[in-house]
């Protein structure tokens, strides 16, 4: 079925890896027009958020205007819209401001959001890392703490240099390594009177190993590298409560801190909770093997927001590579559908997983058998793979310049404190973190 323009219209919600992959594939089809909707005007390269948060890269290095991705593709129209509702039967989406878009095919690629698992105070006080906004907030909080301790070293006794990181997956490990490097290398160079040796980085995970999907050998390597960097790894331990000036751990202890970083898990984007979609495991939307919504063959749900069945029937992991490939596959199925041909079940090509642990240290499990490499080689592979995945040549060049500059000068990248609200700390706002009152001297 084609619209009045004689072209098939595809509406895509979300310009992340999945939505962008789908739009880029459809851009090659002159008989298809695409409306790409996103609440942000830019694509965000989430795997490098932690580098923005720790001042290694600038926000512009990892964000690319969605309109700028399609400068010459006249069949792709980008619209800034926050989608609030879906009508799968009508293949229509509705923006928060009421405007609607209807397609011959509809693609939902709305991604994930942090999951705080109902931990008291976490939503209000912890710093998640799932968007550019999160990363710049966290960067300003870290820099704000450093600025304040630089002026008043006594704040260290009030937990100012305690960083609590929740979750030992890639986000937690990468941010722990990056903060350790920042404190060891760039802080002494830029904050000459600040004694960073009093800092504590506590990395918590309820499980029995960091970076669980890797091998036992890799688990040992990660633990060794992070411990050498001074990270205090606490396995079998999580967070029970977060306050503005403290965190209560599951072992009952309290850590004074002004910076709890949340890498503790994700759940599907709020759009998945729209009553029209049935939510499965992790709040995500269960889809057919061909990526369509059960009972709605013209509606595709792809990337992080979907439970895409893998070869063993278990959902595929929430990874950039799964999202990108599912986007391209959905585009091919949409085109096949328009041509009256059968849709094909999604086949994921697993090229491996990798994680950065800090300067010169990374692990990569590559190829079908997940052959593992550690250390500098994995670090170089990590840089190459992530740069190649970034959208736009300019972003790649800028990231490489920043990484090279960082490597040679050790002074780090853009230490820009631009979110004054995130940096502002009221040191007396938390009862649990207040220093004990000094007893009044007895009257002579
Ligand atoms: C800190 C971090 C590190 C990671 N590291 C890696 C890594 O090293 N390797 C790897 O493979 N994967 C990594 N991932 C996972 C990877 O980034 C995700 O799997 C991938 O981004 C999912 O792509 P997506 O397109 O499904 O969703 P997203 O990339 O999240 O994109 C979703 C898009 O939808 C838009 N959107 C959402 N809701 C609405 C709405 N209601 N209206 C309009 N627009 C909406 C959003 O603005 C966004 O642009 C990491 C993720 C994080 C958070």
């Amino acid at each position: 079925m084609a619209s009045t323009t004689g072209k098939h219209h595809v509406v895509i919600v979300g310009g992340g890896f999945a939505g962008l992959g789908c739009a880029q594939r459809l851009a090659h089809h002159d008989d298809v027009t695409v409306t790409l909707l996103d609440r942000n005007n830019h694509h965000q390269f989430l795997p490098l958020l932690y580098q923005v948060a720790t001042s290694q890269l600038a926000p512009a290095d990892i964000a690319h205007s969605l309109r700028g991705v399609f400068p010459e593709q006249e069949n792709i129209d980008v619209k800034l819209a926050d989608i609030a509702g879906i009508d799968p039967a009508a293949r229509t989406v509705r923006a928060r401001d009421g405007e609607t878009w209807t397609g011959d095919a509809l693609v939902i690629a709305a991604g994930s959001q942090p999951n705080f698992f109902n931990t008291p105070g976490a939503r209000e006080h912890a710093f998640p890392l799932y968007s550019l906004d999160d990363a710049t907030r966290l960067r300003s909080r870290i820099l704000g703490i450093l600025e304040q301790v630089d002026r008043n070293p006594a704040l260290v006794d009030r937990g100012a240099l305690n960083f609590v990181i929740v979750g030992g997956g890639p986000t937690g490990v990468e941010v722990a390594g990056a903060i350790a490097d920042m404190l060891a290398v760039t802080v002494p160079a830029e904050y000459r009177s600040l004694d960073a040796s009093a800092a504590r980085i506590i990395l918590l995970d309820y499980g029995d190993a960091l970076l669980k999907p890797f091998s036992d050998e890799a688990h040992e390597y990660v633990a060794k590298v992070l411990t050498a960097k001074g990270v205090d790894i606490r396995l079998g331990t999580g967070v029970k409560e977060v306050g503005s000036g403290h965190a209560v751990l599951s072992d009952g202890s309290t850590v004074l801190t002004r910076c709890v970083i949340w890498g503790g898990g994700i759940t599907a984007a709020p759009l998945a909770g729209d009553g029209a979609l049935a939510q499965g495991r992790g709040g995500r939307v269960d889809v057919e093997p061909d990526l369509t919504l059960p009972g709605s063959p013209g509606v595709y749900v792809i990337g992080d927001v979907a439970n895409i069945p893998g070869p063993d029937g278990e959902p595929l992991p929430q990874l950039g590579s799964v999202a990108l490939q599912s986007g391209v596959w959905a585009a091919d199925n949409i085109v096949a559908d328009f041509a009256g041909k059968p849709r094909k079940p999604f086949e994921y090509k697993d090229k491996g997983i990798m994680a950065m642990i800090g300067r010169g240290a990374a692990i990569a499990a590559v190829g079908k058998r997940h052959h593992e490499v550690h250390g500098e080689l994995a670090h170089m592979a990590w840089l190459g793979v992530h740069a190649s995945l970034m959208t736009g040549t300019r972003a790649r060049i800028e990231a490489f310049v920043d990484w090279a500059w960082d490597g040679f000068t050790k002074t780090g990248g853009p230490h820009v404190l631009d979110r004054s609200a995130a940096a502002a700390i009221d040191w007396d706002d938390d009862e649990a973190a207040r220093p004990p009152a000094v007893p009044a001297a007895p009257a002579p």
Side-chain angles (χ1 to χ4, degrees):
M1 166 205 0
S3 69
T4 48
T5 60
K7 297 188 178 194
H8 298 286
H9 183 213
V10 180
V11 174
I12 302 175
V13 179
F17 283 103
L20 211 50
C22 187
Q24 282 174 320
R25 189 73 157 199
L26 291 172
H28 300 295
H29 294 271
D30 291 338
D31 56 343
V32 174
T33 60
V34 173
T35 304
L36 176 60
L37 306 168
D38 202 298
R39 62 180 171 211
N40 296 310
N41 82 331
H42 52 272
H43 168 79
Q44 315 179 39
F45 191 80
L46 304 184
L48 292 177
L49 287 177
Y50 82 94
Q51 296 211 356
V52 172
T54 54
S55 304
Q56 294 175 54
L57 290 177
D61 293 342
I62 68 156
H64 199 282
S65 134
L66 285 170
R67 290 173 190 275
V69 178
F70 302 101
E72 280 151 24
Q73 284 82 12
E74 290 185 4
N75 58 337
I76 309 285
D77 188 19
V78 176
K79 293 276 181 271
L80 187 71
D82 188 2
I83 300 304
I86 305 167
D87 179 347
R91 295 183 304 276
T92 296
V93 291
R94 179 179 38 80
R96 219 160 278 287
D97 59 17
E99 187 168 354
T100 59
W101 287 267
T102 300
D104 300 312
L106 180 60
V107 180
I108 306 297
S112 300
Q113 62 177 329
N115 190 349
F116 295 106
F117 297 103
N118 296 322
T119 308
R123 186 176 293 281
E124 297 79 13
H125 302 297
F127 286 78
L129 202 48
Y130 205 83
S131 65
L132 201 55
D133 191 55
D134 292 340
T136 53
R137 266 182 77 231
L138 177 55
R139 177 176 70 178
S140 286
R141 170 53 61 110
I142 294 171
L143 294 176
I145 287 171
L146 295 176
E147 293 297 342
Q148 295 185 44
V149 175
D150 188 51
R151 282 181 53 189
N152 181 6
L155 291 174
V156 172
D157 294 336
R158 301 182 66 182
L161 288 182
N162 293 344
F163 299 89
V164 175
I165 300 163
V166 184
T171 303
V173 164
E174 290 180 337
V175 84
I179 292 179
D181 287 340
M182 193 178 174
L183 291 168
V185 184
T186 55
V187 168
E190 298 210 348
Y191 297 81
R192 285 184 281 277
S193 48
L194 190 155
D195 177 13
S197 66
R200 287 167 73 204
I201 303 168
I202 301 169
L203 176 57
L204 307 170
D205 195 285
Y206 270 123
D208 58 4
L210 302 175
L211 297 181
K212 198 67 181 163
F214 289 87
S215 69
D216 288 348
E217 198 194 331
H219 296 156
E220 277 174 35
Y221 174 74
V222 178
K224 198 170 116 198
V225 172
L226 286 182
T227 305
K229 287 177 184 290
V231 176
D232 176 359
I233 301 166
R234 308 225 192 140
L235 297 175
T237 311
V239 144
K240 270 197 336 195
E241 180 201 309
V242 183
S244 59
H246 74 281
V248 181
L249 310 193
S250 59
D251 60 11
S253 61
T254 296
V255 180
L256 299 187
T257 175
R258 293 287 166 172
C259 191
V260 175
I261 300 166
W262 198 267
I266 51 173
T267 184
L271 202 52
D274 177 56
L277 305 176
Q279 286 177 281
R281 199 193 294 182
R284 301 192 291 274
V285 180
D286 291 331
V287 294
E288 301 286 2
D290 63 6
L291 305 173
T292 58
L293 190 66
S296 301
V299 180
Y300 294 75
V301 186
I302 55 174
D304 270 15
V305 74
N307 274 325
I308 302 175
D312 55 1
E314 287 296 303
L316 291 168
Q318 287 159 296
L319 289 173
S321 47
V322 175
L324 185 61
Q325 290 181 37
S326 67
V328 173
W329 200 277
D332 290 347
N333 272 348
I334 288 168
V335 170
D337 234 0
F338 289 158
K341 294 185 184 155
R343 297 183 295 271
K344 290 189 186 155
F346 177 54
E347 286 168 28
Y348 173 54
K349 290 198 177 50
D350 183 358
K351 295 184 185 150
I353 44 176
M354 34 180 71
M356 178 72 95
I357 312 165
R359 280 171 190 268
I363 54 175
V366 287
K368 268 194 181 154
R369 294 182 186 195
H370 278 199
H371 172 70
E372 265 182 17
V373 280
H374 307 157
E376 192 66 56
L377 184 62
H379 182 182
M380 298 313 289
W382 186 98
L383 292 180
V385 167
H386 283 79
S388 72
L389 285 172
M390 289 168 89
T391 308
T393 311
R394 203 182 118 205
R396 277 178 212 141
I397 294 170
E398 283 173 356
F400 264 113
V401 168
D402 280 347
W403 285 329
W405 184 258
D406 192 21
F408 285 123
T409 63
K410 314 281 188 222
T411 55
H415 288 192
V416 177
L417 195 166
D418 52 357
R419 304 281 297 270
S420 48
I425 298 170
D426 174 357
W427 295 93
D428 292 319
D429 65 352
D430 186 340
E431 192 71 37
R434 247 180 238 161
V438 180

